[in-house]
Amino acid sequence: MNWYVLVAALLASSVEFVEALTIVLAVGTVEGYRPALRGTLLAVLALAVLTAILGVGVLHYVPINVLRGIIGVLLLLFGVKWLRKAILRFSGKKALHDEAQAFDKEVGRLRQNQGNTFAAQATAFNGVFLEGLEVVVIVLTMGSAAQAYPSAILGSAIGLVLVLAAGLILRAPLSRVPENVMKFVVGIMLTSFGSFWAGESLGVVWPYQDASILLLIAGYLAASWLIVSSIKRRDVNRHEVA
Amino acid sequence: MKWLREVYDLFVDDPKLAVLSLVALAIAFLIAKAGAKSAAGLAIFLVVAGSLWYSTRHD
């Protein structure tokens, strides 16, 4: 079992599942659960077909070193995107993501089109497909680069079960999930994995082999903390001058 | 072409940050080719962290 991959896949997938659940709940609230579940099911089927095609293609036809290089680059891009957003949120330059607010916004938008079950189904499909696509990218990239598919799939499956269980019990958007902190952690993990695998495929020799991932995680965490505090300090100084 | 835009958005939020991350890898490749294979990893970390600093402070 590769614990790094399991934890990263679990956290990243949970965040995406929470966002998808919010959209499905909004559709269910406005148009009923039939179109919401139909859209969800179609999106899951589409994602399963896509994963099977990509997964088989990737595993059978691309050499592992080339694969790690491509995946490392994609993970690095994916990771810095998440990390940048998280830094902006924690430094107060971007509003923190709030599932309750996202739910209200989606419900308001759906109410304008109320009675159109096709549009409701399409909304559920789009939400689940797009959020699910990020889960597919995470599971496929981390699973294949670390040759740890079972860990990536298990992590993601645990995330799905946890989010589904919480959603079924609460029947409300999961606004108490510390989504912003989770996104910060995932951004750091994905950036670290991306740096490690992309570097390895380009000829970098990492000291202490896989343990370097922990050093990278610590390094990016420290750097992010420094950036957040420097932005906060700068904004305080600007307010004082004004 | 809408799907292409979706795929692009999946990986890129700030194009400058994405380009700088690729530059970090290119620099690491050159350093590793020059023989300093361990220092190349440090270069990736420093350039990526610096790029995040630049991108978030200039948002």
Side-chain angles (χ1 to χ4, degrees):
Chain A
M1 189 62 58
N2 186 325
W3 292 101
Y4 301 128
V5 170
L6 189 139
V7 171
L10 167 64
L11 292 176
S13 305
S14 302
V15 169
E16 301 304 336
F17 291 139
V18 166
E19 292 182 359
L21 179 72
T22 300
I23 297 168
V24 175
L25 282 171
V27 172
T29 304
V30 177
E31 292 290 348
Y33 281 93
R34 192 166 282 194
L37 293 178
R38 207 181 300 137
T40 304
L41 193 68
L42 286 172
V44 171
L45 282 175
L47 284 168
V49 171
L50 189 72
T51 310
I53 294 169
L54 282 178
V56 170
V58 161
L59 278 178
H60 285 264
Y61 299 107
V62 188
I64 185 69
N65 200 38
V66 175
L67 191 64
R68 279 197 172 148
I70 296 168
I71 280 166
V73 172
L74 292 179
L75 269 182
L76 182 61
L77 293 176
F78 204 44
V80 291
K81 180 190 149 187
W82 278 48
L83 196 47
R84 177 179 177 275
K85 267 191 194 164
I87 289 171
L88 290 174
R89 284 188 172 130
F90 277 86
S91 57
K93 289 181 85 175
K94 195 175 164 88
L96 290 176
H97 188 80
D98 182 347
E99 281 311 317
Q101 218 170 46
F103 177 79
D104 292 341
K105 199 172 152 190
E106 196 63 52
V107 166
R109 208 180 58 78
L110 284 160
R111 287 228 158 100
Q112 289 173 347
N113 261 337
Q114 199 157 10
N116 187 344
T117 46
F118 180 78
Q121 187 179 306
T123 303
F125 177 87
N126 281 340
V128 174
F129 186 80
L130 289 177
E131 303 300 344
L133 197 59
E134 297 202 37
V135 176
V136 168
V137 168
I138 290 161
V139 170
L140 275 182
T141 52
M142 301 199 77
S144 49
Q147 292 185 298
Y149 267 112
S151 307
I153 293 168
L154 183 64
S156 191
I158 294 171
L160 178 64
V161 170
L162 290 177
V163 170
L164 269 183
L168 282 173
I169 293 166
L170 295 173
R171 293 215 167 205
L174 305 181
S175 50
R176 284 197 192 162
V177 170
E179 211 181 325
N180 294 294
V181 176
M182 282 165 75
K183 280 186 172 170
F184 203 168
V185 174
V186 171
I188 284 172
M189 289 188 92
L190 295 181
T191 306
S192 305
F193 281 115
S195 301
F196 183 83
W197 284 318
E200 207 170 52
S201 73
L202 292 171
V204 173
V205 174
W206 294 99
Y208 317 113
Q209 285 93 35
D210 283 5
S212 285
I213 294 175
L214 288 177
L215 291 178
L216 283 167
I217 289 173
Y220 282 123
L221 190 63
S224 306
W225 180 77
L226 277 175
I227 298 170
V228 169
S229 9
S230 87
I231 294 174
K232 277 186 174 170
R233 223 177 14 248
R234 186 187 65 177
D235 289 348
V236 168
N237 288 342
R238 276 187 184 166
H239 280 295
E240 277 172 4
V241 170
Chain B
M1 294 306 265
K2 206 180 158 196
W3 66 271
L4 204 61
R5 182 76 210 178
E6 294 285 356
V7 173
Y8 175 82
D9 287 343
L10 200 61
F11 295 99
V12 181
D13 187 21
D14 174 13
K16 263 186 273 181
L17 177 61
V19 170
L20 285 170
S21 303
L22 296 178
V23 169
L25 296 178
I27 292 171
F29 175 69
L30 293 175
I31 295 175
K33 274 276 167 203
K37 294 188 176 197
S38 296
L42 186 64
I44 296 180
F45 168 72
L46 291 175
V47 179
V48 170
S51 309
L52 277 165
W53 178 284
Y54 172 80
S55 168
T56 48
R57 284 181 72 92
H58 290 84
D59 186 75

